[in-house]
Amino acid sequence: MWLGGRLWLQVFGQVCSNLRRLTLDRTWGGRRGPMAETLSTGAEAASGLGAPAQQNGDAGGDARGEQSPGRPEPAGPGVEPAPGDAKQAAGSGEQAATAAPGPGKRKKRRGATGERVVPPPKKRRAGVSFGDEHFAETSYYFEGGLRKVRPYYFDFRTYCKGRWVGHSLLHVFSTEFRAQPLAYYEAAVRAGRLHLNEEPVQDLSVVLKDNDFLRNTVHRHEPPVTADPVRLLAENEDVVVVDKPSSIPVHPCGRFRHNTVIFILGKEHQLKELHPLHRLDRLTSGVLMFAKTAAVSERIHEQVRDRQLEKEYVCRVEGEFPAEEVTCKEPILVVSYKVGVCRVDPRGKPCETVFQRLSYNGHSSVVRCRPLTGRTHQIRVHLQFLGHPILNDPIYNSIAWGPSRGRGGHIPKTDEELLRDLVAEHQAKQSLDVLDLCEGDLSPGLPDSTAPSSELGKDCLGELAASAQKMDGAVEAGPQDLDTVPLASGKATEIDVVDQETDPLCAECRLVRQDPLPQDLVMFLHALCYKGPGFEYFSPVPAWAQDDWQED
């Protein structure tokens, strides 16, 4: 009796164990929840198939992972589900029970007949790095004291932003990419230059889905920069230190790619995979440091966070700066990230700059600046507040700020009026690059630049436009109807690599721009010294900061 009871208990325990295993298999095999994703193989994680949609570059997008097999992909806001999704949803339970993928395997999702299937996003490399294939896209030439980039073809690549999902390509181009008219994008489709998931776009009415990958081939022109060389101040196994000329951005941004310090160092000094350790505004010159490895970059950035580093600048400002040391602790608020404008405001972030006059020539002063914090445009904004803006600062010494030009924080207009007037001034001067803008950036998100406020009247704009015609004008060589542009057919429509410098679809190719003068690309602000634990680097004092410098 006792032996029979023991045998019965063993059989009962085995049955319970089998039932429990069967239940777990059905639960985790039929769907892939968080636990299943955690238990998936390392190979799957490396492939990027389970990467969240946030990897697309839009932090506000959907942060979920790939859809579970047998479940419909949700449509965008206010968008009807695609045909076949309802049927797919109806059969989802049956599919989950009968076609559960094995461990470490993912069932390939197939769309219903006629449904466009979006491939999973590719895994992206962390950080930004450029190699020989990027440096070989085009070449430099020098003319009139300027470094120029030969026009070249370039692929803009992006994953579908969260706000684009459910909208057509036509809608996205007409609302967010207004640098070109819709006729251009239609012509680009005919020329085979627009790709969706690496397939040529046939119709701009195609509706975008989450994880769609877009590639747009454009003919790219870059603004000229100074021909002054990027000189090496120091190099060792950890860092590269250079003397950055004014007008050259540190890294690719906006219209600048090859005319940047990163690309010039790669192309002319064979220095690659560099990590910028701090930033300098495009118009600021002086000491600029790069780390050669991520480990060195992290170590020095930790020193920055601990405030172990010291920076010293020199500038030339309007008027007679006080002889005694001046400390400005006014908080700074960003007015517009897009335009790159800041001002003093109680709601801003705390910051501190120490100033000491070095010389005065009767008209302007040379001032040493020591920023104790690192806010955007901190030195320039504090000098404007003190009533001594940098002599040739195109933003903070502008008439757009009103009669007092922002002294004491007095700005007799709203932020919207200020931005509109700054854009209008530089649009009239054909110098939107100063604001890191081009014509296509003026909307949406910017005030109407064609309607200046009362502070910047039509007479003033007329004078600006007249002077701009002499020094920095742009004349259209001849309007062209994009509908009549002759385009080759087949593979020849992709790109004629023999002649990259002209393109039948490129509006910039039809403009004749007068080059800026080299002296107009210099702002009188220079990073003189950068030092920290175990290092100290200096750059030469520029000519405009010398005692014998004469104003034109």
Side-chain angles (χ1 to χ4, degrees):
M1 182 71 179
W2 180 81
L3 288 175
R6 183 178 180 183
L7 181 61
W8 180 84
L9 286 173
Q10 289 178 344
V11 173
F12 180 76
Q14 185 66 35
V15 170
C16 289
S17 176
N18 290 340
L19 285 173
R20 191 159 45 244
R21 186 180 299 110
L22 180 61
T23 302
L24 285 172
D25 286 343
R26 286 183 176 177
T27 301
W28 297 114
R31 61 183 180 91
R32 295 184 60 84
M35 180 71 73
E37 292 292 346
T38 304
L39 297 176
S40 62
T41 63
E44 178 187 337
S47 72
L49 296 179
Q54 192 169 348
Q55 186 175 346
N56 297 357
D58 184 53
D62 189 2
R64 56 173 172 74
E66 185 183 272
Q67 287 295 307
S68 305
R71 292 174 58 190
E73 184 172 334
V79 179
E80 293 292 331
D85 279 354
K87 295 178 182 178
Q88 192 175 358
S92 61
E94 182 179 347
Q95 290 176 13
T98 59
K105 297 181 180 179
R106 182 184 298 278
K107 177 173 173 158
K108 185 175 181 180
R109 179 181 181 273
R110 298 184 181 277
T113 304
E115 181 189 3
R116 187 168 63 82
V117 177
V118 179
K122 298 178 182 178
K123 188 181 178 79
R124 298 159 110 189
R125 288 184 60 187
V128 176
S129 61
F130 301 99
D132 291 334
E133 70 275 17
H134 304 106
F135 301 143
E137 291 167 345
T138 185
S139 59
Y140 301 119
Y141 67 102
F142 297 86
E143 183 178 69
L146 301 173
R147 177 191 293 267
K148 298 183 177 181
V149 173
R150 300 185 190 281
Y152 58 102
Y153 287 99
F154 178 76
D155 285 345
F156 280 105
R157 304 166 187 261
T158 182
Y159 279 100
C160 178
K161 311 295 184 186
R163 62 182 178 274
W164 300 349
V165 173
H167 294 287
S168 67
L169 267 178
L170 182 67
H171 173 82
V172 171
F173 283 133
S174 63
T175 56
E176 298 204 30
F177 296 92
R178 300 175 66 175
Q180 303 287 354
L182 283 178
Y184 166 82
Y185 296 109
E186 292 167 349
V189 167
R190 296 197 303 273
R193 296 188 186 180
L194 287 176
H195 289 75
L196 184 63
N197 303 320
E198 297 303 338
E199 295 292 332
V201 172
Q202 305 296 333
D203 190 344
L204 289 176
S205 63
V206 62
V207 175
L208 295 175
K209 293 186 173 185
D210 194 19
N211 288 334
D212 269 337
F213 181 71
L214 297 164
R215 178 164 63 89
N216 180 22
T217 303
V218 300
H219 194 238
R220 190 161 178 176
H221 296 245
E222 296 192 25
V225 298
T226 179
D228 292 345
V230 177
R231 296 190 307 108
L232 294 182
L233 297 175
E235 182 183 1
N236 56 40
E237 60 183 8
D238 290 334
V239 300
V240 173
V241 187
V242 304
D243 188 5
K244 181 185 99 65
S246 182
S247 80
I248 306 180
V250 175
H251 48 71
C253 57
R255 297 179 65 198
F256 295 92
R257 180 172 170 85
H258 289 263
N259 261 348
T260 60
V261 176
I262 286 284
F263 267 68
I264 292 171
L265 289 177
K267 292 161 76 89
E268 297 183 351
H269 298 275
Q270 290 71 53
L271 292 168
K272 307 165 188 176
E273 305 287 337
L274 298 178
H275 305 257
L277 293 175
H278 60 106
R279 64 183 299 273
L280 290 179
D281 294 336
R282 184 170 69 85
L283 296 178
T284 304
S285 57
V287 176
L288 180 64
M289 289 182 62
F290 297 90
K292 286 188 172 181
T293 66
V296 173
S297 175
E298 178 55 34
R299 186 183 78 226
I300 296 183
H301 276 115
E302 186 174 346
Q303 295 172 354
V304 172
R305 290 189 291 270
D306 294 340
R307 300 201 174 183
Q308 300 180 45
L309 304 186
E310 297 180 31
K311 293 179 284 185
E312 186 175 309
Y313 294 74
V314 65
C315 63
R316 184 173 285 276
V317 303
E318 293 268 10
E320 184 177 4
F321 198 86
E324 67 276 6
E325 184 177 271
V326 175
T327 299
C328 185
K329 298 183 178 181
E330 297 295 329
I332 292 178
L333 178 74
V334 177
V335 175
S336 170
Y337 288 98
K338 187 170 187 177
V339 180
V341 177
C342 305
R343 63 176 173 83
V344 165
D345 189 281
R347 299 169 297 169
K349 294 182 178 180
C351 47
E352 182 176 357
T353 315
V354 179
F355 300 100
Q356 177 64 62
R357 192 181 82 187
L358 300 178
S359 65
Y360 173 59
N361 66 3
H363 300 283
S364 60
S365 305
V366 175
V367 178
R368 183 177 61 202
C369 319
R370 289 190 299 112
L372 304 185
T373 49
R375 309 302 180 199
T376 302
H377 295 179
Q378 176 175 320
I379 293 173
R380 299 163 67 183
V381 173
H382 275 174
L383 286 169
Q384 180 197 47
F385 179 86
L386 295 172
H388 298 279
I390 293 174
L391 195 62
N392 60 349
D393 192 324
I395 295 179
Y396 298 101
N397 198 8
S398 162
I399 59 175
W401 295 85
S404 63
R405 304 203 177 195
R407 179 171 188 164
H410 178 64
I411 307 168
K413 57 182 70 176
T414 66
D415 288 348
E416 290 74 18
E417 291 172 336
L418 171 62
L419 291 175
R420 183 170 62 232
D421 290 350
L422 277 170
V423 170
E425 177 183 346
H426 288 287
Q427 198 174 16
K429 290 180 178 179
Q430 295 290 327
S431 58
L432 284 174
D433 289 329
V434 167
L435 303 175
D436 293 325
L437 294 174
C438 61
E439 293 289 342
D441 294 326
L442 297 184
S443 57
L446 282 177
D448 182 6
S449 60
T450 62
S453 72
S454 58
E455 292 291 336
L456 194 67
K458 293 182 179 179
D459 292 341
C460 182
L461 280 180
E463 295 175 7
L464 291 171
S467 63
Q469 289 178 357
K470 297 179 181 179
M471 62 181 226
D472 197 19
V475 180
E476 188 169 1
Q480 192 167 11
D481 185 356
L482 292 177
D483 290 331
T484 63
V485 172
L487 298 172
S489 58
K491 292 186 178 180
T493 64
E494 286 282 342
I495 287 172
D496 178 9
V497 294
V498 177
D499 181 14
Q500 285 201 102
E501 296 198 31
T502 58
D503 180 82
L505 298 186
C506 179
E508 191 74 16
C509 284
R510 301 192 296 275
L511 292 177
V512 180
R513 295 188 183 274
Q514 186 171 340
D515 288 335
L517 298 174
Q519 58 266 32
D520 293 336
L521 297 178
V522 176
M523 185 176 69
F524 298 157
L525 178 61
H526 181 79
L528 193 63
C529 173
Y530 202 78
K531 60 183 176 180
F535 67 85
E536 187 170 5
Y537 300 106
F538 291 89
S539 66
V541 176
W544 51 259
Q546 304 287 347
D547 293 340
D548 58 353
W549 182 80
Q550 297 294 323
E551 299 180 36
D552 295 333

